Amino acid sequence: MDVRVEGLIKRYGQVTALDGVSQTFPAGALTAVVGPSGCGKTTLLRCLAGFATPDRGQVWMGDRNVTHLPPQSRGAAMVFQSYALWPHMTVFENLAFALRLRKVPRRDIERRVRETLELVELDRVPDIERRRPRQLSGGQQQRVALARAIVVRPQVLLLDEPLSNLDAKIRHRVRVEIRALQRRTGITAIYVTHDQEEAMSIADMVVVMEGGRTAQAGRPEEVYAHPKSPFVAEFLGSTNVLAAVVDLDGRILASPGGTLIVRAEDIQLMPSGDIPPPGSAWADGEVVDVLFLGAGYRAYVRIGDEVVMADHRTSLPRGPVRMAILREKLFTFDRATPQSNR
Amino acid sequence: MAGSATPNMRDRPRGLSTLVFRAALVAVLLGAIVGPLAGLVLWSVAERWHWPAMLPQQIGLKYWIRITQGDLLTALNRSVTIATVTTVAALVAAIPVSYGAARARLPLGPVLLMLFLLPQAFPQLPVFASATVLFYRWNLAGTFAGVVLIHMVGGLVYTVWTMTAVFRAIGEDVEEAAINLGASVTRTFFRISLPLAFPGVVASAILVFIYSLDEFTGTLLVGAPYVTTLPVYMYTASLGYELQIASVTALVLMVPGVLLLVLLERFLRAEYLAFFGRL
Amino acid sequence: MNAARPVEQALWWLAAIPATMVIFVGFGLPLVQSVVASFTRDGVLTLANYELVYRLYRQDVVYTVQVAAAGLALTFGIGIPLSGYLRLHHSQTAEFLLKVPLFVPFVVVGHAMRIFLAPRGTLLVGLHALGLASPDTTLAISEGALGLSMALAWKHLALVVLLLMGAFRGVSEEYLEAARGFGAGTFRQIWAVLVPMAAPSIGLAVVLSLTSMLASFSIPLMMTKGSGPQMLMIDLYYRYGQHGDIGVASAIGVVSYLLAAGAAYYYLKGIAR
């Protein structure tokens, strides 16, 4: 079931949280909505869930206009950032809550709770149904939250920063599990996160938001490789934004009129005076600092008034250096029209 | 999904039925809360009122005028003086306890806090009756000081508890920052902590002031026969079946409270009282 | 900074002395004194006071418990749904109105309720004006247990709602949204989420109101006439004031302490569980 929003506008007092968002979230896919805090991604999710009513615009689920339907009539279920598992109820009661509201017969409730716990691979935890959320680990609580959402068999699963309360290590594992679960069930999932790496690794499609609008949407690889604006380029990687242009010889020159965007991983560093590879843009600078990142090193190179991050396999001495970037890895934007000119 | 065909109005914030329900709720509350008080107003101006007339047959300010001559004014004056002294004393006495307990500098702080709750959570009359016997022995019965003391017994919990919560809410890091910059501990307390705690101080002052103004049990016992506050005066008037005088007194007695409620409602947030449940 | 030195600790104790002394002199000592007095008659240790309490006032103990229980049921029967509703659907007006009784002194409540609920009181006048009562009806509420518990509930509702609202506001919105997302309405959100999650605070509010109602004095003093069963505190007051009988008065007091302690015990047991 496709989920579609058209011209969504939502204001909270003076603040415009959504400023005309139109976007389709394809059926059966996992779409990540990503952006910095305050970009409107959570408001968008709340409008989809039915916890917020847009001031203008429509929300469609399949061929139904659900803009004014209450949450339970939309066929969508939500996983909350804090999980919001009711602490006074057991895992069974947490899952059964929605089923009881829907007047599901008692025997079916027991069966469906069991099946759902199997689906999120909690069935092997001893006595899981009778435990309370407090007695579970963070990762287990996360899975119960997921189970509570899918026990009603929603057609759309909404996830609000579902991993932000987990340790870095568990986060990677649960991420893979959520992805596997989504594939297995074929559910349409919309996943809000502020973590671009998480978004790109998990999603079929990424929607980058900025200031209440969609900045760019597409497959992760595509958005990463072809950012449509400096904002998107900057948001999706360790990216340098320079006020500069490239002249006819390939030299990078400071210029307040132009914007050059280059990723740290795309920069090649070489002794100053070396000839840059063909098809490169280049500039001379000075290494001012080097950080060890584990897998490699990150050099901070001063070029004119600006400092550029550049990744390098080995450590470098401070001092003069030349950096080169393949032209196709370089994004240039005019200040006036922030569109890619490449 | 089941039920999707019937849009549920309940969850829509401004559905018609919701508005009607809310209006009805406010109307019922208005009737239930203002109704009994409205009776007081009617009786205070009723010079003659026979059943089943809806309104008194003869309305006048006869009884209101009588208060300006009688000893009601004296009682009012005494009530306000006692309440003011009690409030200041309870605030000053409470600040070190609250601050010490909030910063965990005071050993046995939590036990001490429970101690202050005791007079409000325990039957007062028997204890105050027994206190009166003791106060007679100490020549405190029937004196201004004795009444202030008995008011503080019940009132301290409001200042101590409210200010403990407020001091706790002020992060210790704010104070440490000041001390780190070379301010003395005393200076930090008076220049940083106390100003930040001001809303809480005001809230607790209101609570004690009103408590003292309304205090009846302790005053009736300890204050007798020389210290007559407004509540005691009212009780005496109602004993003589002077409904009008009692009603006038009751209304006068409500003025400070209602005034404070209207003016300072924003200081009295539910949040300040939530700590009662957390102990 | 954190670990207070002994000298500093001593200073804090010194600063805490005035407040503590007030409680000690005005409450602690009299409390002990009253327990001692309840077992003493003419300077001799005896149970005579309690014997008299049992003989004269045992029905009043039952009556007091009944009135307090009815008052409690009224207060929380109204207070819980009301606070829950106001937590979910904010209403400034209703919240303001509910704070009013907080500022009405106990004695005034007693007097106002006496006028309001009297056989031909202002309530009946109002009902009559609305065409809901005929001229020859009378209401016999004010002097009985019902009128008393209504007056107690009226006064206690304000504080209870304030306490419950504070506790309900402490329940994070996401718990409620999670329930709303599955279609839980106002009633179910209150009953299945707010009430159980705020149970400790509700328990405390129940105990505070119950002890306060059991030991209520000014409201019954203003409302009751001489005959029929009385609240215990009225008995105590007359024993003390008119008979000067501090021994029996103290024994009644100790009975009220036990009732209050019983309520507190159930509360503490509930917390420990």
Side-chain angles (χ1 to χ4, degrees), chain C residues 4 33 79 85 102 105 108-109 126 133 143 183 191 203 212 220 222 224 226 232 235 263 265:
Chain C
Q33 167 96 359
Y85 181 84
L102 208 58
V108 174
V109 174
E143 285 152 31
W191 199 240
S212 166
M222 297 300 294
T224 31
L232 271 183
D235 294 332
Y265 171 75

Side-chain angles (χ1 to χ4, degrees), chain A residues 208-230:
Chain A
V208 184
M209 288 188 68
E210 180 199 9
R213 292 164 179 273
T214 316
Q216 192 172 352
R219 287 190 306 110
E221 296 87 344
E222 184 187 305
V223 176
Y224 189 79
H226 305 290
K228 277 195 202 154
S229 70

Side-chain angles (χ1 to χ4, degrees), chain C residues 61-78 145-146 148-150 152-153 206 209-216 231 259 263:
Chain C
V61 175
V62 175
Y63 178 75
T64 305
V65 172
Q66 282 170 343
V67 168
L72 205 63
L74 269 174
T75 309
F76 284 84
I78 298 168
L146 181 63
L148 208 46
S149 42
M150 278 171 73
L152 289 173
V206 167
S209 322
L210 179 62
T211 49
S212 166
M213 287 179 185
L214 284 172
S216 62
M231 294 293 278
L259 291 177

Side-chain angles (χ1 to χ4, degrees), chain A residues 46 51 71-72 80-82 84-89 97-98 101-102 148-149 152, chain C residues 172-185 188 192-194 196-197:
Chain A
R46 293 174 59 80
F51 294 131
Q72 72 273 20
F80 292 85
Q81 183 170 9
S82 67
L85 294 172
W86 300 298
H88 57 287
M89 297 185 198
F97 184 85
L101 271 174
R102 275 153 217 242
R148 187 179 64 179
V152 294
Chain C
S172 136
E173 189 67 26
E174 286 201 339
Y175 291 113
L176 297 165
E177 269 178 1
R180 221 175 297 152
F182 294 125
R188 201 173 291 260
V193 180
L194 285 178
M197 285 186 73

Side-chain angles (χ1 to χ4, degrees), chain A residues 70-286:
Chain A
Q72 72 273 20
S73 311
R74 296 186 172 206
M78 176 128 154
V79 176
F80 292 85
Q81 183 170 9
S82 67
Y83 314 145
L85 294 172
W86 300 298
H88 57 287
M89 297 185 198
T90 61
V91 168
F92 179 86
E93 286 164 340
N94 264 284
L95 264 66
F97 184 85
L99 299 175
R100 285 182 183 146
L101 271 174
R102 275 153 217 242
K103 310 261 188 289
V104 174
R106 211 184 149 126
R107 284 186 78 196
D108 292 354
I109 290 180
E110 280 167 23
R111 186 177 45 79
R112 274 172 72 171
V113 168
R114 213 176 323 116
E115 283 172 5
T116 312
L117 288 173
E118 271 169 38
L119 206 57
V120 297
E121 293 170 358
L122 274 174
D123 53 317
R124 261 173 284 163
V125 178
D127 219 16
I128 179 76
E129 290 187 4
R130 272 189 283 163
R131 292 208 199 180
R132 286 177 203 277
R134 226 194 334 265
Q135 301 164 307
L136 301 174
S137 71
Q140 289 170 333
Q141 287 182 25
Q142 216 288 330
R143 281 189 251 181
V144 176
L146 208 56
R148 187 179 64 179
I150 60 176
V151 76
V152 294
R153 295 175 185 156
Q155 286 154 295
V156 178
L157 184 63
L158 306 169
L159 303 112
D160 182 14
E161 305 256 8
L163 305 182
S164 63
N165 280 329
L166 295 176
D167 297 340
K169 253 188 179 162
I170 306 171
R171 198 179 304 170
H172 282 89
R173 214 183 61 216
V174 177
R175 188 156 93 187
V176 174
E177 282 168 10
I178 289 182
R179 181 54 165 159
L181 178 76
Q182 186 269 332
R183 283 226 173 89
R184 214 156 50 226
T185 53
I187 197 168
T188 308
I190 299 167
Y191 186 113
V192 160
T193 173
H194 65 274
D195 182 339
Q196 37 82 22
E197 190 222 318
E198 189 175 302
M200 286 191 291
S201 64
I202 199 173
D204 297 303
M205 183 169 110
V206 183
V207 175
V208 184
M209 288 188 68
E210 180 199 9
R213 292 164 179 273
T214 316
Q216 192 172 352
R219 287 190 306 110
E221 296 87 344
E222 184 187 305
V223 176
Y224 189 79
H226 305 290
K228 277 195 202 154
S229 70
F231 171 80
V232 175
E234 201 181 347
F235 188 77
L236 289 185
S238 301
T239 309
N240 301 290
V241 181
L242 302 174
V245 290
V246 181
D247 75 1
L248 291 172
D249 298 335
R251 227 185 132 92
I252 298 172
L253 298 173
S255 159
T259 303
L260 272 188
I261 292 192
V262 54
R263 295 213 164 88
E265 74 228 36
D266 294 334
I267 296 178
Q268 253 183 295
L269 294 177
M270 58 192 71
S272 51
D274 274 20
I275 299 165
S280 301
W282 57 276
D284 284 329
E286 190 189 347

